Amino acid sequence: METTKKTSIPILYAGSIVSLLVLIWISLFTGVKDIAMRDVFAMNSDQLLVFTIARIPRAIALVLTGAGLSVAGFIMQQLSQNKFVSPTTAGSLEAAKMGILFSILLIPQASMGIKSLAALLFTLAANLLFMLMVRRVRFRSSVFIPLVGIMFGNILAAVSTFFAFKHGIVQNVQEWMIGDFSSVLQGQYESIYLILPAVVLAYIYADQFTIVGMGASFAKNLGISYTAIVNLGLFAVSLTVSVSVVTAGAIPFLGLIVPNMVSMMMGDNLRRTLPMTALAGSIFLLFCDILGRTIIFPYEIPIGLMVGVIGGIIFLFLILRRNR
């Protein structure tokens, strides 16, 4: 039985890599501008411009965002010891949007770098506060903890809406409310590459995150600094969430459903499952994006809406399955 399982894992990885490459290829040739696959080496100037300025950056942003948010969700689940905790159910997305809002209020002409830094600081502060609340909660139900996080996120969203309405910039903030990759263009998406060091950091400290997920006393008995590893993990999560929100907006449920589906197949060892989590997140996000671009073609359904609908259904399934 164990041999069969070990044999199936390389097959799973190979199938995932092939699926990812196929979806990237389809994504590059999906859009309003007609660019046929057979013309890939014979594009005219307009087609080449669209391909290099819009299609390639969009595909890269989708792959990195999907991988980063999925890994971020896995880290949060390990640190909080709860399978239903993610950037969606911990207030992280709302904190990033709040950071962007206040950067606009304080510096109206804020650059993408300043917005990303503000989102990072607010997200990190919110994650630290959420972890503090988790430690103080006595009734540690698998469903109760994420409900606390959802309420926390709603409070942050309400505060952001109040200040946005007061200063008349509600519409300016709306673009970060729902994830949308249609505005990802060359020269405006490069901050998304900051997800790469965050994922690498997660892989380097994967064993420590796994041990910390077993509890503070267990980690300390093994000579691991519990607080330092938790803070490091929250920094990696905050960096990933902040740059993804600044680049494409909020994408719900991705960091919740992908880690759960992968752990159901491969277990909870972060080092072993992290590459598959990243692959699965990229595949899922690419699939949702292609679907949203084709359902009502030539119009486009925002990816935040597509992931929200599909992810919400899967989230409900996971809750019902856990409560059986």
Side-chain angles (χ1 to χ4, degrees):
M1 188 72 176
E2 185 68 23
T3 304
T4 304
K5 186 176 181 180
K6 288 181 179 179
T7 305
S8 63
I9 290 178
I11 297 175
L12 185 62
Y13 271 108
S16 299
I17 292 172
V18 171
S19 299
L20 177 64
L21 294 175
V22 169
L23 288 172
I24 290 174
W25 185 255
I26 294 173
S27 176
L28 290 173
F29 295 95
T30 302
V32 177
K33 182 67 175 178
D34 186 20
I35 304 176
M37 294 183 184
R38 64 179 179 274
D39 298 330
V40 64
F41 296 113
M43 298 182 191
N44 58 42
S45 58
D46 290 340
Q47 290 175 326
L48 185 61
L49 193 66
V50 171
F51 200 76
T52 55
I53 292 180
R55 299 284 176 85
I56 293 177
R58 180 168 183 156
I60 293 173
L62 283 163
V63 170
L64 292 179
T65 302
L69 289 179
S70 299
V71 171
F74 212 147
I75 293 174
M76 292 197 73
Q77 290 169 16
Q78 290 285 341
L79 298 181
S80 63
Q81 303 176 47
N82 191 296
K83 286 294 184 182
F84 293 141
V85 171
S86 73
T88 305
T89 58
S92 302
L93 297 178
E94 288 76 11
K97 289 183 284 187
M98 179 181 283
I100 296 171
L101 169 65
F102 279 96
S103 69
I104 295 174
L105 292 178
L106 297 175
I107 309 174
Q109 302 300 324
S111 64
M112 292 288 284
I114 294 175
K115 291 176 183 176
S116 298
L117 179 59
L120 171 62
L121 295 175
F122 273 75
T123 306
L124 183 58
N127 284 336
L128 290 170
L129 183 57
F130 173 76
M131 290 301 296
L132 182 62
M133 290 190 294
V134 168
R135 293 171 192 167
R136 296 294 180 89
V137 172
R138 295 182 179 179
F139 183 60
R140 300 178 66 86
S141 166
S142 60
V143 178
F144 183 73
I145 295 296
L147 286 178
V148 172
I150 291 172
M151 288 187 290
F152 176 54
N154 287 338
I155 293 172
L156 296 179
V159 173
S160 298
T161 303
F162 170 77
F163 280 100
F165 181 79
K166 183 178 179 180
H167 292 84
I169 58 171
V170 175
Q171 290 185 347
N172 297 51
V173 182
Q174 286 296 327
E175 60 182 297
W176 288 286
M177 296 298 183
I178 299 180
D180 183 12
F181 283 87
S182 62
S183 59
V184 172
L185 300 171
Q186 189 178 36
Q188 300 178 6
Y189 83 106
E190 282 73 14
S191 62
I192 202 72
Y193 286 105
L194 290 173
I195 288 178
L196 285 174
V199 173
V200 171
L201 190 69
Y203 187 78
I204 292 173
Y205 288 90
D207 293 334
Q208 287 88 332
F209 291 143
T210 301
I211 293 171
V212 164
M214 299 178 184
S217 58
F218 186 85
K220 291 176 181 177
N221 288 336
L222 292 178
I224 293 177
S225 176
Y226 178 83
T227 303
I229 295 300
V230 168
N231 291 339
L232 185 66
L234 292 180
F235 174 78
V237 170
S238 301
L239 180 60
T240 299
V241 171
S242 59
V243 297
S244 65
V245 172
V246 169
T247 302
I251 302 175
F253 293 114
L254 185 62
L256 173 66
I257 59 175
V258 173
N260 272 284
M261 301 302 287
V262 173
S263 64
M264 287 168 61
M265 295 186 294
M266 301 180 63
D268 295 325
N269 187 297
L270 187 58
R271 182 174 296 280
R272 186 176 64 181
T273 58
L274 189 143
M276 179 53 67
T277 301
L279 280 171
S282 297
I283 291 170
F284 181 74
L285 200 61
L286 278 164
F287 172 78
C288 289
D289 183 66
I290 294 170
L291 194 62
R293 292 156 75 179
T294 54
I295 288 180
I296 56 173
F297 185 85
Y299 303 103
E300 182 175 328
I301 300 175
I303 194 168
L305 183 59
M306 291 297 303
V307 175
V309 172
I310 299 174
I313 294 173
I314 298 176
F315 181 41
L316 180 62
F317 165 76
L318 291 172
I319 290 178
L320 295 175
R321 184 177 182 275
R322 179 60 63 90
N323 289 334
R324 284 182 179 178

